[in-house]
């Protein structure tokens, strides 16, 4: 796995993951997407450990779409660990969750989230939201990481 990944989707709900992937494909934004289902897998991928130890550290994803309510290690802990290391501190992380709890929003930003987005229930609204997220983070936004 030494090809650059643009989107790392961390989502344990199969329906939400499929909707996200379908929306990104619909707008041709899913060419280089990895979908993982738990927080530890995400950290292994980001830090090139475990089954991802051969992945190149110099090719971080352009964006991490991170659900908060994961089984096992939750999204806030994943975010906290990403922000704890200089190499990943500036990695763009967008919280993509069904939670609208004020506490979740506040903690996400306190731990360094770049954005907090509540997943719309309606597929068309969901698709439009994902399209906007993808276009902004993949096409408009510049990251401090080297261009590939």
């Amino acid at each position: 796995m030494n090809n650059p990944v643009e989107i790392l989707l961390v989502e344990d709900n199969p329906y939400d993951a499929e909707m996200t992937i379908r929306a990104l494909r619909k707008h041709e934004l899913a060419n280089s997407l990895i979908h993982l289902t738990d927080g530890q897998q995400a950290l292994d991928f980001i830090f090139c450990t475990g089954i991802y130890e051969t992945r190149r550290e110099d090719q971080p994803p352009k964006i991490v779409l991170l659900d908060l309510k994961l089984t096992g290690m939750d999204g806030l802990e994943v975010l906290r660990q990403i922000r704890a290391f200089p190499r990943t501190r500036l990695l763009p992380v967008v919280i993509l969750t069904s939670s609208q709890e004020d506490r979740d929003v506040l903690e996400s930003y306190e731990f360094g989230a770049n954005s907090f987005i509540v997943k719309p229930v309606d597929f068309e609204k969901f698709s439009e939201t994902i399209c906007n997220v993808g276009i902004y983070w993949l096409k408009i936004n510049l990251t401090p990481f080297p261009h590939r």
Side-chain angles (χ1 to χ4, degrees), residues 4-142:
V5 170
E6 292 190 325
I7 300 171
L8 174 58
L9 172 62
V10 186
E11 172 61 70
D12 64 346
N13 180 307
Y15 177 75
D16 287 351
E18 181 58 33
M19 279 186 30
T20 302
I21 293 166
R22 205 165 6 132
L24 289 166
R25 283 186 182 141
K26 177 181 176 182
H27 299 287
E28 299 178 2
L29 298 168
N31 295 336
S32 185
L33 177 139
I34 294 290
H35 169 225
L36 300 175
T37 57
D38 72 54
Q40 187 57 57
Q41 286 178 336
L43 292 175
D44 285 347
F45 182 86
I46 290 166
F47 292 110
C48 303
T49 57
I51 64 170
Y52 299 104
E53 68 184 356
T54 61
R55 200 177 76 70
R56 291 182 53 177
E57 288 184 4
D58 65 340
Q59 295 183 339
K62 284 189 174 181
I63 179 136
V64 176
L65 299 178
L66 179 62
D67 186 26
L68 287 183
K69 309 299 183 197
L70 300 169
T71 51
M73 182 185 304
D74 70 14
L76 285 175
E77 179 59 21
V78 172
L79 178 61
R80 189 191 66 73
Q81 290 193 36
I82 290 170
R83 294 299 185 242
F85 294 92
R87 183 173 63 81
T88 55
R89 187 167 291 137
L90 300 177
L91 181 64
V93 178
V94 172
I95 302 300
L96 186 61
T97 186
S98 55
S99 174
Q100 295 185 43
E101 297 290 323
D102 290 342
R103 188 182 110 257
D104 287 339
V105 176
L106 180 62
E107 287 181 340
S108 294
Y109 282 113
E110 285 178 340
F111 285 175
N114 295 91
S115 187
F116 189 101
I117 297 170
V118 177
K119 300 174 201 172
V121 177
D122 174 72
F123 178 74
E124 287 308 313
K125 289 179 183 173
F126 185 89
S127 181
E128 182 181 338
T129 298
I130 295 299
C131 174
N132 290 334
V133 167
I135 288 172
Y136 176 77
W137 288 102
L138 298 177
K139 309 232 180 226
I140 296 172
N141 185 60
L142 294 178

